[in-house]
Amino acid sequence: MVESDLTPRGWLRHQATHVRTLLMQGVGLGLVAGCLTIVQMGLLAWIVSRLTMNGVLVDELLLPFMGLVLVIILRAMAQWGQESAGVEAGLRVRSRIRAELLDHLAALGPQRLSDQHSAGLGGQLVEQVEALDGYFARFLPQLRLAVLLPLLILFVVLWLDWLAALFLLLSAPLIPLFMALVGMGAERLNREQFLAVTRLAGHFLDRVRGITTLQLFNHTERSVDEVFTAADDYRQRSMRTLRIAFLSSAVLEFFASVAIAVVAIYIGFGLLGYISFGPADELTLFSGLFILLMAPEFFQPLRTLSQHYHDRAAALGAADGLVKLLKRPLPAKPSSSEATATEKVRGSRIRLEGAVVSYPERGRVLGPLDLVVEPGECLAVVGPSGTGKSTLLHLLAGLVTPDEGRSEVSPASPIAWMDQRPWLVKGSLAENLRLAAPDADDERLRHAVRQAGLEALIDTLPDGLETPLGERGLGLSGGQGQRLALARVFLSQAPLVLLDEPTVSLDADTEAQVVESLRHLIDEGRTLIVATHHPALFEMADRVIRLHEGRVIDPQRRGRNEIEQ
Amino acid sequence: MKSSNDATLIATFRPWMKVLGRRQRRLWLGSLLMLLTVIAAIGLLALSGWFITATAITGVMLAAGIQSTLDIYRPGAGIRFFAVGRSVVRYVERTYNHDTVLRLLADLRAGMFTAMTRLDERVMGQLRASEWLNRLTADIDALDSLYLRLLAPPLVALLAIAGIGVLLGLFAPGIGIVVTIPLLGLWLWLVVGQARLGLAASRRRIATLDRLRMRSVEQMQGLAELRCYDTLASHRRRLADEEQALYEDQRRLGRYQALGNALVGMGVTLSAVLALWLGARAFSAGEIRGPVMVMMPLAVLAMNEALASLPGGFTHFGSTLAAAERLNGIASLQGAITDPQSADTLPTGALSLDLVDISLDYSGSGLPTEVRSVTPALDHVSLSIQAGERVALLGASGAGKSSVARLAARLIEPEQGQVVIGGKDVGQVTLADLRSRIGYLTQQAELFHDTLAANLRLGDAQADDARLWDVLGIVDLAAWARELPQGLDTWVGESGRQLSGGQARRVALARVLLSDPGLVILDEPFSGLDAATASRIAERLDPWLAGRTVIYLAHDDSVLSQVDRTIRLREGRLV
């Protein structure tokens, strides 16, 4: 999706091309506003000069005054348009980038992201994408204006008095130089700060999630200290960034102020006739005042740019993290022709050939493994915990790809999936069920709930399926949460069903009920693969394979007969 | 309408004003620095205008041969002073004020987290963890506007307007008064008008952003399920809906703020033109001199600087308001479990547990019941477990086993009845004492995003590596941990995701083994383990359990051996 040599800067530039029209519109309106400012200042200076030097009465200047008011109003309108165009550009580009990221993360899948905190990823999707706003809405248009507007003013001043123009010109190149120096530092610090923010969010979420554990281990006071330390560390990091950002605008303002002061004094002395050099003796109150009024405007676009400079630094910091995510290589896809051919010929048949999966922190967890599962078969996977049962299910679900060997699964159809830790979200029971089938009506939900053995419970609830749950199913016991996740399996029509310890916290009665429901799935001709320790589930299986340290040690046909002893 | 809301507005911000009050000196000093910046800007522009006009007039008179003098050194020095002073003061002001605000935020975060650690489980469950996270981060961040954008700038702007009025009034009282009027009107619009214009959208925005964030985290956590069930697209649509709602509000707010910014420029410049017009009339009437006439509009133009930050702050007033409201909501939550005034201490050694006529009715607990618990209540349960006894507490899922354990650890409090441990009412013992004497392996034991060693040391911060290896040995993980490239320093992922389910559970058990409790409660300690491993661990666990009261929670007694007694629960009642 993203070439490996792409820099955050290049990526941002590329994104800007998608909103070029809006950006140009912003620059155009900014130029109009700039021209109107020059006209406005000229009119002011001219009016003052007529009044004081020519003794014209104020009533005779009614027309210029009205013109002045008109120019001011037009300028305000142009400014509004310029800012609004920037806002729109920022919105569109962010929306686009978020969609691209979500596509990429979905394609990567959960196992490849398991080293990332999901709050951190959620933060990247929200905060880091939002942090790009200023770059497109403000910085990029201003970057053009910061070149064009000072040039425009310089030409006007040059026409009025070339010496004054020279003063402005001399101070101007220093400014980008300083800004670049300061900006480079700010960029690096900004990146660090983004890391700090992500870390801070992860730290907080972790502590909030485990607050019961912290309470039980008497760790709350120490964790409050840790939270304060983390927050204060964040302050110190932020201040380092801010100090540099402020320093850059201070330097800029200092040069601008000095230049204005020099111009003011030069004009004053020129008007007094103290300077007999160059064009100074041609200065009039009109030209002098006009130049003085334009001097701050000469620096204003650059000052604005420096204010938006932290937008750029923030965007680059964010882009750095986002590009890293986008650069994570996607799992290699089997060529599409091969996949469809497989599916056509063999239905939902599954075949692994010498498949190996390893994780950086844990080493090889599975394989080499050969396995064929026929459509409609029920396979139980047993073995001590940590021997790769879950990884095998992830592999069969297509959530990981083998590092070596081949895996053939039908990728096109949905798979019914149930994790050891049931994924429950805050929301009603019905919303939790519909995560598996968004269009299911209440009747289908009830049917699924009945099959999962949850019906009795739901009937006692006044709000039934609309009863809301806390995060991770608080309010439900572990077994109830598991059955809710199981109900999703029944709700789905998927031909392949992958279950990871589906009856782990169930009592014998409920387990029997669930096993009975699972038998229905087998009768429907679905393929079931279950990782389990429970004899009731082995008995249901056509075949049991035993895993030890990621390898099959004991494949057994008709598992039920042999398990008995 | 605004005035009728004033009382609630003040009430909403009062707690936060109190927090600000603790750093009062820093805040006043910061505001003073802001004011100095504005004064320097006004001084620079006004003095320059005066100076140029004065020199022009003097120049013309000199050229006409009229004797005329002008002190050029003092105004020149003044201009340089204002020019340099402005840059320096501004830098100091911004650095100082941002540091102040970040200090305030760190205080607020720690304070808010403290409040959260005192809440009981039921109250915590009303919000998602990611929502709690946002209270700690985004909401508290939004409060930084309170001082930096909503309090100090309008105050400074008002003082600056008054200052301009006085400055102009020194030369022509009438002009001073008249020019102040449109500036005050502008100020009023920027503060009240912009706030009202953006109120609804900015108030919503923070909640929508929250939902967007929630959906994002949700999608990342449930990626496996969503991908397998092929429902990722429908979840994506829900996420996109939130995004669209957010962006519509942002668009609206962006345009309102652009309006405010344009109005600042227009209002200030028109006021300057008014000052020039009135000044010109006074000049024509001979009431003021030329340089003063020029100085007046230029001084007014410098007001741009004082007003420029108001539209940004006040258009987003609703965000700050909403954040303050939500944080106030947490502070007022009931359900905080607190220490007794005068505490008893628990006896040493094994502890008995007595429940005396306990009723626990989750749904009727008077919570703002956004989430009502589904778990059935405990219904007049009385039971007595002797010190040193080993008891299995059996029942189907949802029968109330975990509630008994939570009551013992005082994670929740019963509506009725008494919980007695070691002969003391749990309410009469400090939480620290109680919890250091109870070892409770919860059903969903959380591991933290930290190293394996750090997770274990929650049980005993002083434990050395040898003890960590000991307890890992008991839970049959020592061999596995030795194989890890980084051993005890292996980073354990979120909720232990880099470990398998059974391994994470055993790490949580090992953590309990590091503590020294008199009462041990193990909720399904062997779930997710194969029979061989389970019996191996049970055997090694036995010596550690000796001399302690033990309660196993389980749905059947198949894996449990050597219990003195079995107690069964069904739907919240003893069988």
Side-chain angles (χ1 to χ4, degrees):
Chain A
M1 203 168 256
V2 166
E3 306 94 79
S4 58
D5 59 342
L6 191 64
T7 59
R9 205 177 301 231
W11 180 71
L12 283 176
R13 254 200 303 271
H14 175 70
Q15 296 299 327
T17 56
H18 300 300
V19 284
R20 186 179 286 145
T21 321
L22 279 167
L23 292 176
M24 294 313 291
Q25 200 178 318
V27 173
L29 286 167
L31 271 178
V32 171
C35 292
L36 288 170
T37 306
I38 295 173
V39 174
Q40 172 201 313
M41 295 310 184
L43 269 171
L44 259 178
W46 185 76
I47 289 171
V48 166
S49 145
R50 300 289 290 168
L51 284 167
T52 49
M53 308 311 285
N54 303 47
V56 176
L57 285 179
V58 66
D59 296 331
E60 295 168 39
L61 292 170
L62 194 62
L63 213 60
F65 263 103
M66 287 179 45
L68 190 55
V69 170
L70 184 71
V71 167
I72 290 167
I73 292 171
L74 284 175
R75 191 186 63 146
M77 285 163 70
Q79 271 178 341
W80 183 85
Q82 180 200 348
E83 226 181 300
S84 297
V87 168
E88 193 61 40
L91 288 173
R92 291 205 189 156
V93 95
R94 273 179 290 153
S95 189
R96 204 193 146 84
I97 288 171
R98 186 171 289 116
E100 190 184 334
L101 276 168
L102 283 169
D103 285 341
H104 191 76
L105 290 173
L108 278 173
Q111 278 295 330
R112 272 161 203 278
L113 294 168
S114 68
D115 58 328
Q116 301 263 318
H117 211 292
S118 55
L121 282 177
Q124 280 187 294
L125 280 171
V126 178
E127 269 75 22
Q128 291 202 352
V129 174
E130 292 301 294
L132 299 175
D133 181 41
Y135 179 78
F136 298 102
R138 296 181 288 269
F139 180 79
L140 274 186
Q142 193 62 35
L143 189 61
R144 309 267 187 292
L145 289 174
V147 176
L148 295 174
L149 286 178
L151 271 179
L152 196 67
I153 289 170
L154 197 66
F155 278 121
V156 179
V157 175
L158 197 62
W159 167 66
L160 291 167
D161 185 300
W162 64 263
L163 205 55
L166 197 65
F167 286 131
L168 293 181
L169 196 62
L170 284 178
S171 65
L174 288 173
I175 291 159
L177 186 73
F178 269 92
M179 270 168 51
L181 279 176
V182 171
M184 278 190 286
E187 218 170 278
R188 187 174 51 79
L189 281 172
N190 234 292
R191 256 199 304 274
E192 279 171 24
Q193 209 197 347
F194 253 115
L195 274 179
V197 172
T198 314
R199 219 177 7 232
L200 191 68
H203 179 95
F204 286 163
L205 187 67
D206 218 39
R207 299 305 185 269
V208 169
R209 280 238 175 89
I211 220 162
T212 304
T213 305
L214 293 173
Q215 286 170 340
L216 282 172
F217 285 101
N218 270 329
H219 210 75
T220 52
E221 266 168 51
R222 208 166 323 148
S223 65
V224 168
D225 289 345
E226 283 167 12
V227 164
F228 182 79
T229 311
D232 203 56
D233 175 64
Y234 174 67
R235 172 183 73 87
Q236 286 169 11
R237 275 169 199 282
S238 301
M239 281 314 296
R240 246 182 287 163
T241 317
L242 288 173
R243 239 177 249 130
I244 285 180
F246 295 157
L247 190 64
S248 78
S249 47
V251 166
L252 182 58
E253 270 172 35
F254 177 76
F255 277 99
S257 300
V258 168
I260 295 168
V262 168
V263 167
I265 291 165
Y266 159 73
I267 292 168
F269 281 34
L271 288 173
L272 278 173
Y274 288 6
I275 303 171
S276 51
F277 170 76
D281 47 357
E282 287 165 30
L283 272 173
T284 61
L285 181 59
F286 165 69
S287 63
L289 194 58
F290 193 10
I291 292 170
L292 178 73
L293 286 171
M294 276 193 295
E297 298 300 327
F298 176 78
F299 294 101
Q300 191 54 46
L302 281 164
R303 282 180 63 190
T304 313
L305 184 69
S306 92
Q307 279 166 19
H308 300 331
Y309 214 78
H310 74 265
D311 284 331
R312 173 179 178 273
L316 277 174
D320 193 47
L322 297 177
V323 168
K324 265 194 201 122
L325 264 190
L326 288 169
K327 270 191 200 169
R328 285 187 171 224
L330 291 174
K333 279 184 188 161
S335 69
S336 57
S337 61
E338 190 187 333
T340 49
T342 311
E343 215 191 332
K344 265 180 200 160
V345 180
R346 300 186 185 121
S348 55
R349 181 175 175 180
I350 289 166
R351 183 210 291 273
L352 300 181
E353 279 171 24
V356 172
V357 178
S358 41
Y359 298 137
E361 288 256 307
R362 287 167 64 188
R364 175 187 289 193
V365 287
L366 186 73
L369 194 69
D370 297 310
L371 180 71
V372 178
V373 185
E374 299 295 338
E377 197 180 1
C378 176
L379 176 75
V381 184
V382 300
S385 68
T387 53
K389 297 192 299 291
S390 301
T391 307
L392 175 60
L393 291 185
H394 275 106
L395 181 63
L396 296 176
L399 297 173
V400 288
T401 45
D403 297 291
E404 294 166 32
R406 277 166 54 82
S407 75
E408 271 177 36
V409 287
S410 54
S413 56
I415 297 165
W417 170 269
M418 188 184 148
D419 204 88
Q420 278 184 40
R421 282 175 264 250
W423 175 55
L424 301 177
V425 302
K426 198 186 139 188
S428 68
L429 291 168
E431 276 177 72
N432 268 286
L433 289 172
R434 287 203 175 98
L435 289 170
D439 306 320
D441 56 17
D442 281 7
E443 197 38 57
R444 271 182 67 198
L445 296 189
R446 295 208 154 272
H447 187 67
V449 162
R450 201 174 309 135
Q451 284 181 300
L454 264 182
E455 196 183 26
L457 173 74
I458 308 258
D459 284 344
T460 63
L461 299 171
D463 296 332
L465 286 169
E466 298 308 317
T467 308
L469 294 180
E471 185 172 28
R472 292 198 172 182
L474 196 108
L476 287 183
S477 72
Q480 288 165 341
Q482 209 144 18
R483 273 185 281 163
L484 191 63
L486 196 58
R488 271 189 216 140
V489 171
F490 291 115
L491 197 58
S492 119
Q493 305 291 324
L496 176 60
V497 179
L498 301 175
L499 307 167
D500 197 352
E501 304 277 10
T503 57
V504 75
S505 340
L506 303 185
D507 58 282
D509 289 349
T510 321
E511 187 181 27
Q513 214 176 330
V514 169
V515 168
E516 191 51 39
S517 309
L518 291 177
R519 279 187 203 284
H520 286 306
L521 292 179
I522 303 172
D523 294 342
E524 286 170 17
R526 303 213 221 174
T527 313
L528 250 72
I529 299 174
V530 189
T532 186
H533 300 303
H534 287 221
L537 289 168
F538 307 166
E539 286 170 26
M540 185 182 75
D542 301 316
R543 188 153 58 110
V544 177
I545 59 166
R546 192 170 293 276
L547 281 186
H548 183 72
E549 292 180 353
R551 311 188 62 162
V552 178
I553 52 167
D554 189 14
Q556 296 165 317
R557 279 275 154 197
R558 300 306 306 173
R560 80 174 75 161
N561 305 324
E562 282 158 76
I563 288 298
E564 292 298 308
Q565 6 118 2
Chain B
M1 214 170 112
K2 177 90 181 168
S3 62
S4 69
N5 289 335
D6 276 357
T8 49
L9 263 187
I10 290 168
T12 303
F13 284 117
R14 184 177 295 135
W16 308 107
M17 299 298 285
K18 263 191 207 152
V19 178
L20 293 189
R22 274 185 245 139
R23 304 237 182 211
Q24 228 176 51
R25 276 187 49 191
R26 282 192 77 98
L27 300 186
W28 284 118
L29 191 55
S31 306
L32 183 68
L33 287 167
M34 276 190 200
L35 187 64
L36 286 177
T37 317
V38 174
I39 290 173
I42 294 173
L44 180 62
L45 214 55
L47 192 58
S48 305
W50 178 90
F51 178 64
I52 285 177
T53 317
T55 53
I57 293 169
T58 314
V60 169
M61 292 205 284
L62 284 176
I66 302 166
Q67 191 61 32
S68 179
T69 57
L70 179 71
D71 175 6
I72 50 170
Y73 294 104
R74 263 187 295 175
I79 289 171
R80 282 194 299 273
F81 170 75
F82 283 130
V84 175
R86 191 175 101 168
S87 313
V88 173
V89 175
R90 209 171 143 74
Y91 174 70
V92 174
E93 178 264 311
R94 292 172 81 185
T95 316
Y96 188 78
N97 277 332
H98 279 81
D99 192 45
T100 304
V101 165
L102 286 167
R103 275 168 208 267
L104 283 171
L105 293 182
D107 292 351
L108 288 172
R109 278 191 238 279
M112 191 52 60
F113 188 71
T114 310
M116 283 163 60
T117 58
R118 298 209 184 99
L119 296 175
D120 74 19
E121 255 189 352
R122 281 182 271 169
V123 179
M124 285 297 294
Q126 287 174 35
L127 296 177
R128 291 177 216 233
S130 51
E131 286 175 299
W132 286 112
L133 173 67
N134 279 317
R135 300 299 172 282
L136 274 178
T137 53
D139 278 3
I140 286 181
D141 282 343
L143 280 180
D144 77 355
S145 307
L146 190 57
Y147 163 69
L148 214 52
R149 290 164 152 250
L150 299 177
L151 286 175
L155 179 72
V156 167
L158 207 55
L159 286 174
I161 292 172
I164 288 283
V166 171
L167 180 67
L168 267 53
L170 282 179
F171 300 98
I175 300 177
I177 292 165
V178 174
V179 171
T180 314
I181 292 168
L183 286 175
L184 279 178
L186 182 64
W187 181 89
L188 206 63
W189 167 260
L190 294 175
V191 172
V192 181
Q194 288 289 136
R196 291 198 49 183
L197 202 57
L199 190 63
S202 62
R203 210 169 182 171
R204 257 198 316 267
R205 202 188 62 105
I206 197 165
T208 327
L209 191 65
D210 213 25
R211 280 203 300 278
L212 178 66
R213 199 181 287 112
M214 231 155 51
R215 290 264 181 256
S216 303
V217 175
E218 203 174 284
Q219 191 166 105
M220 289 304 110
Q221 278 172 343
L223 211 47
E225 280 83 353
L226 290 168
R227 253 184 66 174
C228 284
Y229 283 114
D230 212 7
T231 48
L232 191 58
S234 85
H235 198 272
R236 274 283 291 275
R237 266 197 301 282
R238 289 166 75 175
L239 201 148
D241 287 346
E242 305 291 1
E243 190 194 69
Q244 204 190 344
L246 176 72
Y247 283 179
E248 250 155 47
D249 280 341
Q250 281 192 10
R251 179 177 294 120
R252 210 167 283 150
L253 288 171
R255 288 185 181 165
Y256 291 156
Q257 191 180 332
L259 175 71
N261 288 338
L263 284 178
V264 168
M266 191 173 92
V268 167
T269 322
L270 286 178
S271 301
V273 170
L274 179 68
L276 178 62
W277 174 263
L278 294 173
R281 295 182 72 117
F283 173 71
S284 301
E287 289 162 21
I288 55 172
R289 294 178 46 217
V292 172
M293 182 196 76
V294 177
M295 181 210 73
M296 289 201 292
L298 290 186
V300 175
L301 271 185
M303 282 303 296
N304 254 320
E305 179 121 354
L307 296 172
S309 75
L310 294 183
F314 282 90
T315 309
H316 295 275
F317 176 71
S319 298
T320 312
L321 183 67
E325 279 171 351
R326 298 198 306 175
L327 290 171
N328 287 343
I330 292 180
S332 69
L333 275 181
Q334 299 300 311
I337 290 178
T338 49
D339 276 333
Q341 298 280 315
S342 59
D344 289 338
T345 39
L346 289 172
T348 52
L351 295 169
S352 62
L353 169 68
D354 298 273
L355 300 189
V356 186
D357 194 27
I358 291 285
S359 287
L360 189 65
D361 181 15
Y362 272 18
S363 53
S365 57
L367 299 169
T369 49
E370 197 200 329
V371 170
R372 190 172 37 225
S373 176
V374 176
T375 309
L378 284 180
D379 193 8
H380 295 286
V381 168
S382 292
L383 62 85
S384 181
I385 294 169
Q386 309 289 308
E389 212 180 352
R390 272 190 208 184
V391 175
L393 187 57
L394 303 182
S397 61
K401 295 169 309 211
S402 299
S403 298
V404 171
R406 286 179 190 156
L407 283 168
R410 220 179 151 216
L411 291 171
I412 49 175
E413 294 196 290
E415 274 72 49
Q416 190 200 319
Q418 203 185 5
V419 181
V420 181
I421 288 187
K424 314 283 183 197
D425 186 310
V426 285
Q428 297 306 314
V429 183
T430 61
L431 288 167
D433 187 17
L434 178 71
R435 286 169 182 166
S436 67
R437 302 299 316 287
I438 293 184
Y440 175 19
L441 176 70
T442 51
Q443 200 175 35
Q444 273 191 352
E446 301 285 348
L447 297 187
F448 294 96
H449 195 56
D450 209 331
T451 61
L452 185 58
N455 269 290
L456 288 170
R457 286 206 172 96
L458 267 186
D460 178 7
Q462 264 72 51
D464 54 18
D465 281 5
R467 279 195 64 207
L468 301 189
W469 285 112
D470 279 351
V471 291
L472 283 175
I474 295 179
V475 298
D476 207 24
L477 280 179
W480 163 79
R482 256 183 260 281
E483 297 276 297
L484 293 173
Q486 281 146 314
L488 289 174
D489 293 327
T490 301
W491 204 258
V492 176
E494 178 186 8
S495 305
R497 261 192 200 194
Q498 304 227 338
L499 306 184
S500 81
Q503 286 165 338
R505 208 78 206 117
R506 281 141 73 186
V507 171
L509 177 59
R511 185 167 67 184
V512 173
L513 300 182
L514 281 172
S515 60
D516 184 23
L519 170 64
V520 183
I521 305 173
L522 303 175
D523 194 344
E524 306 269 9
F526 307 122
S527 75
L529 301 185
D530 59 289
T533 313
S535 70
R536 222 172 19 243
I537 294 177
E539 202 175 304
R540 290 182 198 161
L541 206 54
D542 208 59
W544 185 81
L545 291 175
R548 308 179 201 269
T549 312
V550 183
I551 305 175
Y552 288 106
L553 310 184
H555 47 73
D556 58 52
D557 52 4
S558 61
V559 277
L560 303 176
S561 53
Q562 298 176 338
V563 292
D564 301 328
R565 188 152 60 103
T566 298
I567 301 172
R568 284 180 194 279
L569 271 174
R570 181 175 295 157
E571 291 177 2
R573 290 188 195 166
L574 289 179
V575 182

